[in-house]
Amino acid sequence: MVDLSPQAMDTALVPDRRNAERRPIRAARRARERVKLLGQPMDLVRPEEVLHQVDTWVSEGRKAVVANHNLNSLNLIRRNPAMAAFYERADLVEVDSAPLIAFARALGVHGRTFHRCTYLDWRDHFWSLADRRGWRVLYLGGAPGVAETARQRLMALYPSAIIAVHDGYFDAAPGSAANASVLAGIAAFRPHILFVGMGMPRQEVWIGQNLDALPDSVIFSVGAAFDYEAGAQNAAPRWMGPLGIEWLYRLVRDPKRLARRYLIEPWGLADLIVADVVTAIRTRFSRG
């Protein structure tokens, strides 16, 4: 039995793997792919590069974690130590924020609009790859019935992918009977890919608390991915992403839930923004 108590997790945390050198996945790998923005390491990767890396990890039978950062996550990690611990164990951190990409460019950091990367940006490529490889994919999250609807739709399109789902309505506390049952089900399925979509910060905290007990697989925090696949939520048109206005689409559709996140919380990062700007200015002057 794996001890998943908070005390045990505190002592079991491994060194921050985001700072470890990774083997290049292609000859054209950019030397400045990994950057630090607002105090956090992130990877400037294209969607196809993410999947190239995932394919490599699956073929090697490795356990790996793919996270993503946006302004909401950067606020949350300042208040939630368990969420911060999750990012310390992530192998790849996508940038899921056009404003963050724009900020990186303003600082002189290597970054382009195509480096904005999240599930909706690589979903079609992913499922095509999963179908060709015959991957076992498990999605944990969503309301009862929603993930099952998504599974049926995806299986109709990608019949060679093996897909299982479990809703996110269970007692996720470490050591609970329900959580132990979920972990046993995941272990029995032996997924190549584990999607966890229970919203921030619950999904990140759950992965971090249970990572050592999970089978070797590539683990993603993906939010409402299967809500989109089931048609329970409508995704913003993809052209909005590169223009940096996808947040506005979401805000208009759900202002009660998202107004604070998009209009107020980013101001809580002001000190980090100023620190990055000052560092960038000093660096430019030091280079003459």
Side-chain angles (χ1 to χ4, degrees):
M1 176 69 69
V2 178
D3 184 0
L4 295 177
S5 66
Q7 294 79 9
M9 288 303 300
D10 287 343
T11 59
L13 289 178
V14 298
D16 188 344
R17 291 182 290 171
R18 293 172 298 172
N19 295 324
E21 183 177 353
R22 294 196 306 275
R23 184 175 61 191
I25 62 172
R26 58 179 66 199
R29 190 81 175 213
R30 295 175 305 282
R32 295 185 294 165
E33 170 191 299
R34 175 152 292 175
V35 301
K36 181 172 280 190
L37 293 173
L38 304 183
Q40 290 297 311
M42 305 179 199
D43 294 298
L44 295 175
V45 288
R46 298 170 182 255
E48 63 269 22
E49 291 174 322
V50 173
L51 296 185
H52 194 138
Q53 182 70 76
V54 169
D55 196 20
T56 299
W57 285 329
V58 171
S59 67
E60 293 175 347
R62 273 198 54 189
K63 180 186 292 186
V65 175
V66 181
N68 61 83
H69 259 317
N70 52 38
L71 298 180
N72 184 42
S73 66
L74 290 168
N75 270 291
L76 288 170
I77 61 174
R78 305 187 81 178
R79 307 193 301 266
N80 191 324
M83 187 169 181
F86 161 79
Y87 281 96
E88 290 172 0
R89 302 193 71 177
D91 296 272
L92 183 69
V93 183
E94 304 170 311
V95 182
D96 176 19
S97 170
L100 272 178
I101 296 295
F103 181 61
R105 295 191 69 179
L107 295 177
V109 175
H110 175 70
R112 297 293 183 269
T113 55
F114 51 67
H115 289 140
R116 180 190 176 278
C117 191
T118 187
Y119 175 80
L120 291 175
D121 298 311
W122 44 253
R123 65 196 281 200
D124 294 334
H125 187 174
F126 170 84
W127 287 109
S128 176
L129 185 60
D131 191 57
R132 297 196 305 272
R133 299 284 194 265
W135 284 347
R136 293 185 299 277
V137 181
L138 192 150
Y139 180 84
L140 175 64
V146 173
E148 175 59 27
T149 298
R151 187 189 74 84
Q152 293 176 8
R153 291 186 177 187
L154 289 166
M155 286 294 296
L157 296 171
Y158 307 100
S160 294
I162 304 167
I163 308 172
V165 298
H166 190 292
D167 68 68
Y169 285 70
F170 65 98
D171 181 1
S176 72
N179 195 63
S181 176
V182 168
L183 290 173
I186 294 172
F189 184 68
R190 296 182 298 113
H192 296 103
I193 306 293
L194 173 61
F195 287 143
V196 182
M198 298 190 291
M200 285 186 174
R202 187 173 183 243
Q203 62 194 12
E204 287 80 11
V205 171
W206 187 88
I207 293 171
Q209 290 176 335
N210 296 283
L211 184 56
D212 293 330
L214 292 171
D216 290 344
S217 57
V218 181
I219 303 162
F220 290 81
S221 56
V222 293
F226 269 38
D227 284 22
Y228 295 123
E229 300 296 357
Q233 287 192 36
N234 293 321
R238 300 319 301 148
W239 58 265
M240 287 186 168
L243 294 179
I245 57 174
E246 187 171 347
W247 66 271
L248 184 58
Y249 176 91
R250 294 174 178 172
L251 177 61
V252 170
R253 293 186 64 87
D254 194 355
K256 185 176 180 180
R257 184 173 69 90
L258 297 177
R260 179 177 179 81
R261 178 187 301 182
Y262 290 147
L263 302 179
I264 298 175
E265 288 186 357
W267 294 101
L269 301 171
D271 59 324
L272 298 177
I273 293 171
V274 170
D276 276 3
V277 171
V278 169
T279 298
I281 292 172
R282 287 176 176 171
T283 300
R284 291 179 185 178
F285 274 107
S286 67
R287 290 175 179 172

